[in-house]
Structure formats: C-alpha cells, structure tokens
Amino acid sequence: METLEQNIGYHFQQKKYLKEALTHSSCVNDSHHSGLNNERLEFLGDSVLSLVVSNYLFRKYPNRSEGELTKIRASLVCTYSLSSFARQFHLGEYLYLGKGEEHSGGRDRDSILENAFEALVGAIYLDAGFEEAERFVMRFIPDQLAAGVNRGSTDYKTALQEIIQQNREEKISYVLTMESGPDHDKTFEVEVHLNSNPIGTGVGKSKKQAEQNAAQQALELMGYEI
C-alpha cells in the first residue's frame, strides 16, 4: 500500500480506508471475511467524482449549455476513461481479489478498475475531505480534455462501427500486431482492419485501450471529428 500511496501522491492518515477501497467483493466472499468491500466507497466516490468534474466544467466552459456540459462530463466519468486513469498508476496490481477474479484477468478488467478508482476517490474524501479528493481527480481530467474528450464520446470503436455499418458489406476487425514488456506492464499494438485492409493503428497498456486508439486514428484518417 505504501508503493501505491507514492504512485498516487497521497498518503492516508487512516489506512483502513485505502484497504477497503482496494478490496473487491470477490475477495471477501472467497475468504469468508466479515470486513467491508469497496462497493460502498465506490458509491461515495462516484458522487464526489461527479461533483469535482461538474464544478470544473461549469467554470471552464461558461458559455456551454447544460446538455453540452452533461455530454462532456459523461465522457470523462465513463468506464473507458476511469479504467484508463486507474491503469496510469497500475491500480489493478494492488487490488485484493478472489481466486476466480484473479484467474479470469480481473486485475485488468475495465469495470473492476473503474469501480476501484471511484472507491479510491471516496476513500481519499473520507480520509482528508473534498479538497484533497478534488486534487487527486484533477490529476487526470485536464489531460483527458486536452486529448479531445470534450469533442464527444470516447467510445471510438462504437462510433467507427456505426459509420461502417451504413454499408452492410463492410466488416471491421481488430488484429493484435505486437505485445511487449513484462507481465505487469505490457504494451499492446493493434491494427483495425476494414475487411482485410488496415485503416488505423493504436497502442495502449491493454488490448481494449489499443483498440480504442486504433479506432480513433481510423476515424481521424477518414475525416471524422468524434
């Protein structure tokens, strides 16, 4: 936990909050442990996260409508964004998981990483208050906006699929072209193919992230702004 604290730039006064945030429900079930899992902290962190992002967007974009702000916020707090935040400091490596989740790749599952990130936000809020939780969240939000999230949805794969489906004869597929690095810190490169022709390449710390980046490049090369 000390290594994780160094990675996130925050040291807990009450370590119990951090341990709770890292404890997936599968671990509690497997060990017959009576302690808490991170679901309650996830609930709290989700609300804190939403308030932090809403406050930031409200001040940053004084001329944008409610609908526009809602759309931007949704893209910043979606599963894809939050799981990518968690991967930046290798949160999955520190989770307490049950044997089933461990063996099925739970440490890199988007939904588990998303929930753990929200739980961590909730834990920091309980340990030190809103300002410290806000400081932690704001490590990620501006960079995500600068990357173009404010233009719309970050689900580039879905956007690309919807465009290609307009012609029923066309087919999209994703091909893993390279995998490098140690097991705990792998990098993946993926090509997205239109029928058999590559139309985009993406690199990421997970296959899903690489696929999203490949789809984003394909959309940009096709002249779409997503």
Side-chain angles (χ1 to χ4, degrees):
M1 289 196 292
E2 291 179 0
T3 303
L4 177 59
E5 287 178 318
Q6 292 176 2
N7 290 348
I8 66 175
Y10 177 75
H11 291 270
F12 280 80
Q13 303 171 55
Q14 298 190 61
K15 304 296 184 185
K16 64 178 183 180
Y17 291 136
L18 176 56
K19 185 173 183 180
E20 184 179 333
L22 298 176
T23 304
H24 188 259
S25 59
S26 63
C27 178
V28 175
N29 294 335
D30 275 9
S31 63
H32 304 289
H33 179 57
S34 59
L36 296 173
N37 60 46
N38 65 7
E39 291 178 351
R40 283 171 54 84
L41 281 177
E42 174 199 339
F43 167 79
L44 178 62
D46 176 66
S47 297
V48 174
L49 181 65
S50 181
L51 179 56
V52 169
V53 174
S54 297
N55 180 57
Y56 174 70
L57 296 178
F58 181 84
R59 296 176 186 280
K60 184 175 179 62
Y61 300 117
N63 298 319
R64 298 231 178 168
S65 68
E66 176 194 2
E68 290 176 311
L69 293 174
T70 299
K71 185 176 180 180
I72 298 172
R73 183 182 62 190
S75 70
L76 290 169
V77 299
C78 69
T79 299
Y80 175 70
S81 293
L82 299 186
S83 61
S84 70
F85 298 162
R87 289 188 178 95
Q88 290 182 33
F89 53 91
H90 309 290
L91 180 58
E93 296 179 16
Y94 302 95
L95 299 179
Y96 298 101
L97 299 176
K99 293 180 180 178
E101 288 292 352
E102 181 78 56
H103 294 154
S104 63
R107 292 191 184 280
D108 195 46
R109 184 169 297 128
D110 286 353
S111 59
I112 289 180
L113 291 175
E114 172 195 15
N115 295 341
F117 183 86
E118 291 176 334
L120 187 59
V121 172
I124 294 174
Y125 171 75
L126 287 181
D127 194 59
F130 180 79
E131 289 186 3
E132 196 64 42
E134 182 180 40
R135 186 189 68 81
F136 172 69
V137 171
M138 291 307 298
R139 288 178 51 187
F140 308 96
I141 300 304
D143 287 345
Q144 198 71 338
L145 279 174
V149 175
N150 57 318
R151 292 194 303 248
S153 172
T154 58
D155 192 352
Y156 299 109
K157 288 181 64 177
T158 298
L160 180 61
Q161 186 68 34
E162 289 176 350
I163 291 170
I164 299 302
Q165 280 179 342
Q166 296 175 15
N167 188 336
R168 295 183 180 180
E169 297 179 357
E170 307 288 0
K171 182 180 179 182
I172 286 289
S173 61
Y174 293 85
V175 179
L176 179 65
T177 56
M178 188 180 71
E179 181 178 328
S180 61
D183 289 341
H184 69 281
D185 190 24
K186 284 188 175 297
T187 298
F188 301 89
E189 181 177 298
V190 168
E191 284 184 350
V192 56
H193 289 195
L194 176 57
N195 299 324
S196 59
N197 301 313
I199 58 173
T201 302
V203 176
K205 302 306 291 184
S206 71
K207 293 178 183 177
K208 289 184 178 180
Q209 183 181 9
E211 289 174 355
Q212 286 282 352
N213 292 338
Q216 180 183 8
Q217 185 186 84
L219 287 165
E220 291 174 349
L221 292 174
M222 294 165 64
Y224 290 94
E225 291 188 4
I226 303 298

